[in-house]
Amino acid sequence: MKTLRFRIEPTSEQRKAIDHEIEANRLVYNCFVTACKLFHQKNGKLPTVFDLNKLGTRFRHNWAFVSEAYSTTLNETAKRAISACEKTLGRHDKAHGMMDLEDGTVTEGGPRYPRYKNPGQFCSYAYPSCRDYAVIIGRNSKGCRKRMLRLGKVPGLLRCYNQRTRLKGDVKTCTIVREDAGTHYEYYACISYEPLPEKPREGRKEAVGVDIGISNIAALSDGTVFRGEYAYLEKEKELKKVQQKLSSLSALTEGYRKTKAVLNHIYEKIDNRRRNTTENISRYIADNYDTIAMEDLSVAQLRRIARDRWMTKRYNDVKLGELRRRIQDKAESAGCSVILVDPRGTSQTCSGCGAYVKKDLSVRVHVCPVCGLNIDRDVNAARNILARALSQNPQGSAGDPRPGFVRAEKPAV
């Protein structure tokens, strides 16, 4: 399943209709949370989606504001409420309580439920089927391809950006998202679709080892290195000035609103740069290699062992967990095999002779005193990752329950 996200440009009338849909679904969501809470307290379990759908039908018949919303969007909101309740109840399944310091008694607390959403927290709604919306392809006055979007209960056709990326597959749901840009709202459409099977591409190399880090975001076993781009650190001084100015202003004033918009734009630029770097690296690896070997490590554990705030900020800036996830997703979509190996000793072992060469994190070049190998530290680790993956999984993804994904066994110690 893939999702195409592109910006839409509604007119003032269309914007009012979309805002009305979001607000109606927000109110119904809060009512669904209350219904789930009462049902769970009485029966010890959550209601089904069908039960909430019947309740949503009653809302549409007896609530004038909700009756103007598109009916099937309330069904998706019901699923959203059920999912939120399952997460909170599962996350807080253990009884929480309070202790009385005077007599030492403990009063057990009950289960926790999702919080109600205020207008600033609920900013999206979904059309569950392609029958509820339509993607219309036409031609403009110059004869160029033009994509428009028609939504249920939204008058007219909506202008769409990103005309180049095509929807190749079976279209499923469409989620409309409203984002606050400070001085205005921006609207996006997220269309999920089942892509068509891709033909195997020619000209790929066989296998590659990938080592991810903060100095080099990704280093490949063939010597390719992607340097770190620290978007947040480059904008840190600018952010500090804007945040100081914002803290000196009174809320709900015109100056506060404009300064908040500037701050949102800076954060948006940072996020766009991070996403662009992640997508470019993951696409390059998935397009050029058949077998991809990576370390089976936890980015959260890496952040815990960071020596100072300098390293912690860089771990947050390069988004290593997101990069690893995107590599796996694109590799699976392209029919590649992903092998995860044990990360112990990959940086300290020489990829040329296998000797153990102790190095501190500040040492960025691997120099082996035994065989004389002199290469980048991360490239040396990538070669060790690839060798370990091929030695433990010579047949790639054979026998793995999930196609294109293998977790290599840990080497014997």
Side-chain angles (χ1 to χ4, degrees), residues 352-373:
C353 62
Y356 185 82
V357 183
K358 181 68 175 179
K359 296 184 292 294
D360 191 70
L361 286 175
S362 59
V363 180
R364 305 310 308 168
V365 179
H366 169 78
V367 180
C368 180
V370 179
C371 64
L373 181 64

Side-chain angles (χ1 to χ4, degrees), residues 228-236 239 266 269-275 277 317-318:
E229 295 184 7
Y230 308 110
Y232 176 81
L233 294 177
E234 293 180 4
K235 297 285 186 178
E236 190 173 16
L239 280 172
I266 296 175
K269 289 181 180 179
I270 294 173
D271 188 58
N272 289 340
R273 283 191 57 185
R274 289 174 176 174
R275 187 183 298 112
T277 301
D317 213 0
V318 296

Side-chain angles (χ1 to χ4, degrees), residues 212-233:
I212 60 176
I214 56 175
S215 295
N216 298 322
I217 299 181
L220 309 186
S221 55
D222 59 2
T224 305
V225 175
F226 298 93
R227 302 294 179 184
E229 295 184 7
Y230 308 110
Y232 176 81
L233 294 177

Side-chain angles (χ1 to χ4, degrees), residues 80-106:
R80 186 171 175 178
I82 292 287
S83 177
C85 291
E86 290 176 347
K87 287 182 180 179
T88 53
L89 291 174
R91 192 176 303 164
H92 305 284
D93 52 351
K94 297 182 179 179
H96 297 267
M98 298 179 63
M99 175 180 287
D100 191 345
L101 298 179
E102 295 183 358
D103 54 5
T105 58
V106 178

Side-chain angles (χ1 to χ4, degrees), residues 282-298:
S282 57
R283 175 51 59 191
Y284 175 85
I285 295 174
D287 285 349
N288 291 280
Y289 303 97
D290 285 329
T291 303
I292 303 170
M294 295 191 298
E295 292 177 319
D296 187 11
L297 53 81
S298 171

